[in-house]
């Protein structure tokens, strides 16, 4: 039995979309599916199908556009409902506005994922997501966004941190719902209390550990 993880780098902002699955049951989950177009989505779809995986979970750490624009593709193909942190559901419904703000109105007209998005199911701190024999705890870590969360699998000692924590950095706090003091509190009280050797898989960039970030992250 093993938890398998594959990273797909999505969209012009180079966001990390993670496909995780139980190698024994073949049940899978997608975290932060940020595909902008069908070409990016098809790489993920082909991997799922070619490896005989069954998509059971479709969730995001927060509702910034670069982390959710592929959710509609996955819903449409596999019939799995998107799950979004409850505090970020209002942001979910502003996804087109976000695309316009960051990429311009012309770009928004050509982002295929916008046409497929539907209303998400909300999740909150303390909820548990199951993928095969693995459990993922929803940890509330607001600050980068109002309702941001991380997903923690204690069995494998791995944290999917979204844009809360990066290798050597933290998420920006100048967007709607962001707060620097709140983010620092989330890190100190919710993230840095995890076991030091916990693997951290962030929404952008490379992998790190809790221990490394406590020692060397200049922002905390």
């Amino acid at each position: 039995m093993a938890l398998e993880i594959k990273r797909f780098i999505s969209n012009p902002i180079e966001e990390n979309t993670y496909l995780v699955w139980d190698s024994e049951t073949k049940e899978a989950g997608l975290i932060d599916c940020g595909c902008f177009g069908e070409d990016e989505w098809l790489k993920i779809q082909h991997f799922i199908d070619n490896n005989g995986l069954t998509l059971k979970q479709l969730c995001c750490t927060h509702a910034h556009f670069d982390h959710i624009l592929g959710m509609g593709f996955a819903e449409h193909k596999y019939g799995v409902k998107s799950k979004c942190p409850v505090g970020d559901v209002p942001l979910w419904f502003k996804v087109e506005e976000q695309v316009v703000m960051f990429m311009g109105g012309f770009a928004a007209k050509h982002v295929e994922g916008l046409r497929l998005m539907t209303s998400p199911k909300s999740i909150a701190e303390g909820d548990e997501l199951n993928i095969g024999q693995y459990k993922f705890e929803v940890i509330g870590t607001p600050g980068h966004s109002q309702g941001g969360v991380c997903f923690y699998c204690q069995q494998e000692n791995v944290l999917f941190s979204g844009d809360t924590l990066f290798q050597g950095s933290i998420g920006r706090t100048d967007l709607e719902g962001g707060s620097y003091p709140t983010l620092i509190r989330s890190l100190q009280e919710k993230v840095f209390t995890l076991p030091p050797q916990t693997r951290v898989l962030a929404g952008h960039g490379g992998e790190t550990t809790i221990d490394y970030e406590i020692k060397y992250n200049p922002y905390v």
Side-chain angles (χ1 to χ4, degrees), residues 71-93:
M71 306 286 262
F73 289 111
E75 281 197 350
H76 183 73
K77 172 63 179 178
Y78 297 108
V80 179
K81 190 67 176 174
S82 296
K83 295 179 179 177
C84 175
V86 62
D88 270 13
V89 169
L91 197 59
W92 178 284
F93 292 109

Side-chain angles (χ1 to χ4, degrees), residues 12-174:
I13 303 177
E14 297 188 336
E15 177 266 351
N16 292 330
T17 295
Y18 293 102
L19 177 67
V20 301
W21 70 97
D22 181 332
S23 63
E24 184 172 326
T25 68
K26 297 292 187 177
E27 290 188 0
L30 269 173
I31 298 172
D32 288 348
C33 188
C35 308
F36 269 36
E38 189 174 14
D39 56 338
E40 290 185 342
W41 164 248
L42 286 175
K43 294 177 183 178
I44 299 175
Q45 179 185 318
H46 289 160
F47 188 92
I48 292 173
D49 295 346
N50 291 342
N51 286 277
L53 305 180
T54 302
L55 192 66
K56 292 290 187 178
Q57 297 286 354
L58 179 60
C59 51
C60 64
T61 58
H62 63 293
H64 285 153
F65 75 105
D66 55 318
H67 290 254
I68 64 174
L69 276 175
M71 306 286 262
F73 289 111
E75 281 197 350
H76 183 73
K77 172 63 179 178
Y78 297 108
V80 179
K81 190 67 176 174
S82 296
K83 295 179 179 177
C84 175
V86 62
D88 270 13
V89 169
L91 197 59
W92 178 284
F93 292 109
K94 296 181 179 180
V95 61
E96 185 170 2
E97 180 182 317
Q98 294 182 56
V99 173
V100 170
M101 180 173 67
F102 280 91
M103 303 182 67
F106 178 80
K109 296 178 182 179
H110 296 276
V111 176
E112 298 166 73
L114 283 172
R115 300 193 297 271
L116 298 172
M117 295 184 68
T118 64
S119 300
K121 179 179 179 180
S122 63
I123 54 176
E125 180 171 39
D127 287 347
E128 189 175 88
L129 306 177
N130 296 309
I131 299 174
Q133 302 171 66
Y134 295 95
K135 299 176 181 179
F136 293 78
E137 177 187 354
V138 179
I139 300 175
T141 56
H144 175 63
S145 68
Q146 183 172 329
V149 302
C150 296
F151 300 116
Y152 176 56
C153 179
Q154 184 178 16
Q155 295 150 284
E156 291 291 300
N157 207 27
V158 61
L159 180 79
F160 295 87
S161 65
D163 287 2
T164 295
L165 178 65
F166 302 127
Q167 184 184 59
S169 188
I170 61 175
R172 61 188 294 181
T173 58
D174 59 333

